[in-house]
Amino acid sequence: MGEKATPRHSRAELTSWDHRHLWHPFTQMRQWLVEEPLVIARGEGCYLVDLEGRRYLDGVSSLWCNVHGHNRPELNTAVVRQLEEIAHSTLLGLTNMPAVVLAKKLIEIAPPGLTRVFYSDSGATAVEVGLKMAFQYWQLKGKPGKTKFASLVEAYHGDTLGAVSVGYSELFHRFYRPLLFECFRLPPPHLYRFHQGLSDKDAMAKAVVEAQNVLSRHRDDIAALVIEPLVQGAAGIWTQPLGYVRALREIAEENDILFIGDEVATGFGRTGRMFACEHDLISPDILCLAKGLSGGYLPLAATLTTEEIFSAFLAEYDEFKTFFHGHTYTGNPLACAAALANLELFETERVLERLEPKIVFLRERLGADLAPLAHVADVRQWGFMVGIELMRDPERRIPYHPTDEIGIRVTQEARARGVIIRPLGNVIVLVPPLSISRDELDLLIEATRASIQAVTERA
Ligand code: PMP
């Protein structure tokens, strides 16, 4: 890479202004304000580079969105070329080339049956759009009683209020409870397996029966079931066995309930296939995408749906059946250009093909190096989404107490070893960019192992 750019502001200035003016997401600011922030200045491949030129392996793909590494010439060029044409124009009443071409490409690679693309800007808005589409659809179809939703226990679908209603977590969202709508919560197989020690097969059977009972009992009330297929990411990388997504899809269909797949995290190769739904050979009625859609470059989201749902909204202007939803930056040409370059790289670099051996390597190393550690209670993996659950006493299933801050301490330790990771409570999460090399995977695993060992020995 070229010369290190001279910082325009000193570290002292940036720290002081950050501490005085910024409010960071999902961050206890009291803790933040007594720490020296790590200021990221640049990116190079799978590395983040700080103001002083120190390099850190990006072990969580900058919050699960980076796909082909940072500062990729192909993506940079696509964005710059588009920038020289136009940065933004609206999709309300007009259209633009990158948005149109991307819609066509997305439909080509999406699970069969999906034909329409509705753009927005983040994972939460992709879900919000899906929920509203499903809700309005049933009213347009003459079934106004179908006004409720179903989702999985500890699901996470984003932080806007509709997304929080279906992704409620007591710890994060208790303050907003009066603002939220009702949702039926289905326990996923992980809960039975992890808490009752059942086999994968038995846990799945129990979860499917539970889903069948709730969905069939309330079939006249429920508009849609929304799930994160294959991996409940924010819950702590709770994995689902093959067959679960298919079973839920079938139960939803039998009961006239729309099936919304939230692939904001699992989409774009993260589980080893382009979309997690492909593992179970199913197509959702509505598919929510964001994060990796733009290669992790720019805020862009898409909600895909079928011609059946789309056509229910077609009517004369004055019938007002229109889908009245949109955001200023919907279909932003820069973000769509980045997404097109992202999809092109998947093809030209044969990303999914080359990912397979890396997934196997990761599985082997997790089994050999992480699983045997004294305080590792469970290692969960689907493709490049990994959760390592730590417990004070795995035998007797005694967790670490929140005041132990075990996850936070492990990630701090990893940072000292040149690796950026983020915990979800007591679960250490690894979600590397798909472009990571074998040597970099080695570093990620070794730094994680050493950090867990160092911290748990002291805890
Ligand atoms: N759905 C899922 C499954 C997610 O993992 C996330 C974010 N981690 C979201 C939705 C929300 O996406 P965003 O942060 O872009 O709003």
Side-chain angles (χ1 to χ4, degrees), residues 89-336:
S89 98
T90 181
L91 276 202
L92 277 69
L94 300 171
T95 197
N96 70 70
M97 189 148 65
V100 173
V101 180
L102 178 61
K104 177 175 174 291
K105 291 249 152 131
L106 283 174
I107 292 308
E108 278 167 17
I109 61 166
L114 297 165
T115 56
R116 295 279 165 182
V117 176
F118 192 100
Y119 290 116
S120 61
D121 323 317
S122 72
T125 57
V127 171
E128 213 70 48
V129 165
L131 298 175
K132 286 175 71 179
M133 258 179 199
F135 192 88
Q136 186 168 338
Y137 169 78
W138 287 116
Q139 297 188 45
L140 296 173
K141 293 296 271 188
K143 292 197 176 171
K146 283 167 87 66
T147 56
K148 300 204 164 86
F149 288 90
S151 65
L152 300 182
V153 172
E154 286 298 318
Y156 178 79
H157 297 290
D159 291 327
T160 54
L161 288 174
V164 167
S165 296
V166 291
Y168 184 78
S169 138
E170 183 63 24
L171 199 62
F172 291 167
H173 302 134
R174 63 189 193 282
F175 298 111
Y176 317 117
R177 207 206 287 246
L179 297 175
L180 308 177
F181 55 75
E182 200 180 330
C183 184
F184 296 99
R185 310 304 298 272
L186 311 173
H190 171 76
L191 278 182
Y192 293 120
R193 186 175 66 74
F194 197 64
H195 295 293
Q196 297 179 7
L198 299 186
S199 69
D200 262 356
K201 197 160 155 268
D202 291 346
M204 168 138 117
K206 218 165 162 175
V208 169
V209 168
E210 178 77 21
Q212 176 81 57
N213 289 343
V214 174
L215 298 181
S216 59
R217 201 175 324 130
H218 299 284
R219 55 176 293 155
D220 295 333
D221 311 324
I222 299 177
L225 164 68
V226 51
I227 73 157
E228 298 158 80
L230 230 50
V231 184
Q232 278 184 254
I237 315 289
W238 289 3
T239 50
Q240 300 155 8
L242 269 186
Y244 180 63
V245 177
R246 166 165 284 275
L248 287 189
R249 209 292 169 246
E250 284 169 1
I251 296 167
E253 199 159 338
E254 282 159 18
N255 290 288
D256 238 4
I257 290 170
L258 296 178
F259 184 93
I260 305 178
D262 174 356
E263 295 227 28
V264 168
T266 54
F268 300 98
R270 216 52 81 172
T271 66
R273 304 264 172 93
M274 189 55 100
F275 301 109
C277 283
E278 292 174 30
H279 290 271
D280 253 350
L281 300 171
I282 67 112
S283 290
D285 297 300
I286 294 174
L287 177 65
C288 307
L289 304 173
K291 289 193 188 280
L293 170 55
S294 68
Y297 257 53
L298 286 160
L300 179 66
T303 306
L304 277 55
T305 192
T306 60
E307 214 56 16
E308 160 62 24
I309 293 179
F310 171 77
S311 60
F313 292 70
L314 300 178
E316 294 306 319
Y317 171 77
D318 60 2
E319 289 179 75
F320 295 109
K321 292 186 174 179
T322 301
F323 187 46
F324 290 108
H325 186 109
H327 303 277
T328 306
Y329 286 104
T330 290
N332 172 256
L334 284 181
C336 290

